[in-house]
Amino acid sequence: MTAVNFRDSVRTLLRDRLLDAAASITSADGWGSVTMSKIADEVGVSRQTVYNELGSKPEIAQELVMRELGRFLEVVREHIEAETDVVEAIRGACEGALHMAESNPLLKAVLDSVNGGDNDLLPLLTTESQGLIDVASTAVLSTITQRFGDLGLGDGQLAAAVDAIVRLVLSHVMRPARSPPDAASEIAWIAGNVLRSAKRP
């Protein structure tokens, strides 16, 4: 390993530890309790190091949400790649993501913040969620097309269907009204009908 690669690896490790600390504080005490000093104390570095690595508090919020999204997308990818039928792949991917959401401490802290007025993170999943939706839709679309091709669709139809699926899943994450299996089955049923309709001449 070269000196440059070693430094990059160390910096990545430090960045992950800082984000882990921010997530831990958020899960335990809410986003309002997160400060540069607390993150620094948790990791054993200076406040300036936190600023240098992560930037401002809003930037940390964005990093936390996008890092967590990456973990959800890995679960989605695994479910899609395990199936031979696209509708069943969608069902499994949705159920996996919704099960993960149920037990995710950071997401729980964000949702619980609604009642406490500590909702700085919440807009990233609601009113300011377009960036998250775009990243998720692009990743899911790529995984589906790699596994199943374009499914005979064109003119952006598959991309539109995937975007709708991502928005439905996010809606269930934010306001769960059914169990993950039931919600996933409903989304898959909708997706199946949309895909069949889009392929009609």
Side-chain angles (χ1 to χ4, degrees), residues 31-133:
W31 177 245
S33 298
V34 175
T35 65
M36 301 301 183
S37 295
K38 284 186 178 180
I39 295 173
D41 290 345
E42 188 98 0
V43 178
V45 297
S46 67
R47 286 175 66 248
Q48 190 58 49
T49 297
V50 180
Y51 279 110
N52 290 345
E53 293 297 325
L54 299 182
S56 64
K57 190 172 177 181
E59 289 174 312
I60 295 173
Q62 186 74 31
E63 284 260 6
L64 281 177
V65 169
M66 297 309 289
R67 187 176 73 153
E68 214 62 28
L69 174 62
R71 292 169 175 166
F72 275 84
L73 289 174
E74 182 60 25
V75 170
V76 167
R77 183 190 64 78
E78 291 173 356
H79 279 280
I80 290 173
E81 291 181 349
E83 298 295 340
T84 57
D85 175 77
V86 65
V87 175
E88 183 57 26
I90 290 169
R91 189 207 62 75
C94 292
E95 183 174 345
L98 293 171
H99 270 306
M100 187 176 177
E102 276 191 329
S103 59
N104 187 283
L106 181 61
L107 181 59
K108 185 176 186 303
V110 173
L111 298 180
D112 286 348
S113 72
V114 176
N115 297 323
D118 172 24
N119 59 359
D120 290 349
L121 275 173
L122 192 61
L124 296 175
L125 300 177
T126 54
T127 57
E128 299 171 13
S129 63
Q130 189 58 53
L132 178 147
I133 290 170

Side-chain angles (χ1 to χ4, degrees), residues 77 82 84 92 111 138 182 187 192 195:
R77 183 190 64 78
T84 57
L111 298 180
T138 298
D182 288 345
I187 294 171
L195 293 174

